[in-house]
Amino acid sequence: MLGSYSDFYANNQFRALQQFFKWYAEEDPDEPKPNIMLGMSPPKVDEKLVPVFTPEELDALLKTCKGGGFQARRDAAILSLFRDAALSLPPGTPVVELKRTTFEATGRAVEVMCAVIAADMSTFDYRFPIPD
């Protein structure tokens, strides 16, 4: 798996299997099973820096958004947001990309939100009611 996929993906799959085998070993107290993942260590994840656009590169991209159509205005707004907000973070600052879709009762999406925020300055708390 390590040769075909990223370190992060392999580590994530390891963690999922680790939780599954922990559950499997403890599922039936009357019939204990061995946890084959016990004592195994996860694959190492190397930190990878994600390349970011320089202000000059964003300005060059912004020049391609000429025109009065919806797509040109949308693209110009997105690029302006990146230039004005995202690049104000110091290099190396971890960020979180938050995506949320709100649906109406019929299942139709009525709102889509995507935000990139500084991860070291944010806390998320979600509470979901779980029906019986």
Side-chain angles (χ1 to χ4, degrees):
M1 177 176 263
L2 289 174
S4 303
Y5 297 98
S6 71
D7 299 344
F8 180 79
Y9 180 78
N11 185 284
N12 193 27
Q13 293 299 307
F14 176 89
R15 302 270 182 207
L17 287 169
Q18 188 178 43
Q19 290 303 310
F20 171 77
F21 283 108
K22 179 181 176 187
W23 166 82
Y24 180 72
E26 298 170 357
E27 177 199 15
D28 186 0
D30 296 332
E31 190 180 324
K33 299 174 184 77
N35 182 347
I36 63 172
M37 300 280 297
L38 203 59
M40 295 177 79
S41 56
K44 185 179 178 215
V45 177
D46 293 326
E47 185 176 333
K48 294 180 183 173
L49 295 177
V50 177
V52 295
F53 289 111
T54 65
E56 294 78 22
E57 291 171 327
L58 281 177
D59 287 338
L61 280 171
L62 198 54
K63 289 179 184 176
T64 66
C65 300
K66 296 188 190 285
F70 170 77
Q71 290 180 339
R73 288 194 308 267
R74 178 204 60 200
D75 293 347
I78 292 170
L79 290 172
S80 295
L81 180 66
F82 283 151
R83 184 190 61 206
D84 298 339
L87 290 178
S88 65
L89 297 173
T93 301
V95 295
V96 174
E97 181 180 23
L98 178 63
K99 295 181 180 181
R100 184 189 76 214
T101 305
T102 306
F103 297 92
E104 63 181 15
T106 63
R108 184 175 72 103
V110 293
E111 179 187 26
V112 176
M113 188 272 304
C114 181
V116 177
I117 55 177
D120 60 348
M121 301 176 76
S122 305
T123 303
F124 293 102
D125 182 17
Y126 286 96
R127 296 167 195 222
F128 296 99
I130 301 174
D132 292 331

